[in-house]
Amino acid sequence: MGFNTKLTQKLGIKVPIVQGGMQWVGYAELASAVSNAGGLGILTGLTQPDPATLRKEIQRCRTMTNKPFAVNITLLPAIVPPDYEGYAQAIIDEGIKIVETAGNSPGPVIKKLKAAGCIILHKCTTIKHAQSAIKLGVDFLSIDGFECAGHVGETDITNFILLSRARQSLDVPFIASGGFADGQGLAAALSLGAEGINMGTRFMCTVEAPIHQKIKQKIVDAQETDTQLVMRRWRNTSRLFKNKVTEEAIKVERESTTGEFEEIRPLMSGQRGRQVFLQGDSDAGVWTAGQVVGLIHGKFAILYYLICSTLTSAQIYRLASS
């Protein structure tokens, strides 16, 4: 079972599928399941409240898999920034060799991780940002199309164009992120020049995903039109699952006369979003989901079988097109 790509060769995995580093979702249960199935599981660093707790989560994940897994660090604007240096040091001290980075001004963190021998997979929403990341010495790029969940950037370029531009312009290998849920998508990404894919929202609807069953069902029942772009006014656009809170946030964003982010801040609370996954109330706060929700149907999959079926379908479609 597996594809032989630059991604699988470099990371020591069997399947060119990377789990998205999702806030309040990327815990050891999901990361280990993805890695055990042959992909690359990812622990979301900032889901843990501090570097010491991240170390414990890394240790817990190691009790659940002996396969490679990674940690995500996302650097975002904040009044009181997290201890990014401390999180990076925790990753290094625990011997993690693969790190997914994303967000603003990642240079110092990437430099520190590279000096420790880590393989860096950096997420970008534009070719310009990808070229800047290459100068920082990243090993792989995760090219995020406009379809993706969470921070989509400000250029609204979908993957069909973005991946082809990456193939034409970049000397560093890349994977495709945003809109992937099955083997057909994997085959398409490989055909467009990617070395693999990133799946986030799709993995939320698996048996192993550590979120409430009602939220998994909400995703399964959703259509591709059930996401919403919020915070565009502040050039921090995020794709979220459409609910009462995002509707209220959009109203504030459109009607505010001051343009002050403080007016919307309570609605965008991460702790409120966490309660969505704990309590199963999809309107408790904001939570990220990609347009791929429209491609997810049926029962919640056992992760191993989901990856196996994705791989088999991709192989069939590649053979059919050869």
Side-chain angles (χ1 to χ4, degrees):
M1 180 179 77
F3 276 103
N4 187 29
T5 73
K6 292 178 181 178
L7 184 77
T8 60
Q9 293 169 11
K10 184 79 171 179
L11 304 189
I13 59 178
K14 292 183 178 180
V15 183
I17 297 176
V18 174
Q19 170 221 322
M22 299 169 283
Q23 187 72 349
W24 312 127
V25 183
Y27 293 100
E29 289 83 358
L30 183 60
S32 63
V34 173
S35 291
N36 285 333
L40 181 71
I42 294 185
L43 296 176
T44 306
L46 297 186
T47 288
Q48 304 303 322
D50 53 60
T53 313
L54 173 59
R55 292 188 65 164
K56 292 178 182 178
E57 188 70 2
I58 292 171
Q59 293 165 9
R60 190 167 75 93
C61 195
R62 281 211 175 96
T63 69
M64 303 167 76
T65 184
N66 60 3
K67 303 295 195 299
F69 64 90
V71 177
N72 163 281
I73 299 182
T74 299
L75 299 94
L76 297 174
I79 294 176
V80 182
D83 181 11
Y84 293 122
E85 178 87 7
Y87 280 98
Q89 191 61 52
I91 289 168
I92 293 167
D93 290 345
E94 287 300 318
I96 294 294
K97 292 302 181 185
I98 308 168
V99 181
E100 180 189 63
T101 56
N104 301 325
S105 303
V109 167
I110 289 176
K111 182 178 180 180
K112 182 181 183 71
L113 293 167
K114 287 293 293 181
C118 295
I119 297 169
I120 305 297
L121 170 63
H122 186 70
K123 301 185 79 171
C124 303
T125 58
T126 68
I127 298 302
K128 179 180 178 180
H129 292 154
Q131 290 168 335
S132 296
I134 290 172
K135 293 177 182 177
L136 296 175
V138 303
D139 300 277
F140 289 91
L141 294 157
S142 180
I143 302 298
D144 277 18
F146 185 56
E147 306 92 329
C148 72
H151 296 277
V152 299
E154 307 301 323
T155 54
D156 302 359
I157 304 172
T158 57
N159 256 329
F160 219 101
I161 300 300
L162 201 55
L163 294 176
S164 291
R165 284 286 290 117
R167 183 185 70 249
Q168 294 172 347
S169 307
L170 304 179
D171 296 326
V172 168
F174 62 92
I175 68 171
S177 178
F180 295 99
D182 52 31
Q184 291 92 325
L186 173 56
L190 295 173
S191 296
L192 288 169
E195 300 294 333
I197 60 171
N198 177 300
M199 292 203 301
T201 305
R202 180 64 189 92
F203 282 143
M204 292 171 69
C205 293
T206 57
V207 171
E208 294 87 349
I211 64 175
H212 202 285
Q213 298 293 97
K214 288 183 180 179
I215 301 305
K216 297 179 186 182
Q217 192 61 50
K218 194 76 175 177
I219 294 171
V220 169
D221 293 339
Q223 300 180 18
E224 62 275 13
T225 52
D226 287 329
T227 67
Q228 200 155 28
L229 297 174
V230 181
M231 297 194 291
R232 175 136 284 184
R233 184 170 183 172
W234 295 279
R235 296 190 63 78
N236 190 24
T237 307
S238 289
R239 185 180 300 282
L240 307 171
F241 194 92
K242 186 187 297 183
N243 64 10
K244 293 178 181 178
V245 186
T246 62
E247 293 284 5
E248 186 177 351
I250 287 291
K251 186 174 187 295
V252 172
E253 189 169 347
R254 288 173 177 165
E255 298 179 3
S256 169
T257 57
T258 68
E260 294 292 333
F261 183 73
E262 289 302 318
E263 294 186 50
I264 201 175
R265 183 185 298 278
L267 300 173
M268 307 307 295
S269 164
Q271 288 302 319
R272 285 186 63 176
R274 186 183 186 190
Q275 294 308 308
V276 170
F277 298 136
L278 293 175
Q279 299 177 5
D281 179 0
S282 63
D283 289 314
V286 296
W287 49 288
T288 62
Q291 290 180 319
V292 75
V293 293
L295 303 181
I296 303 169
H297 311 293
K299 296 180 180 180
F300 310 143
I302 295 173
L303 208 146
Y304 177 81
Y305 295 115
L306 171 62
I307 286 185
C308 285
S309 64
T310 299
L311 190 63
T312 300
S313 297
Q315 290 170 329
I316 291 171
Y317 277 89
R318 291 201 85 189
L319 286 172
S321 62
S322 62

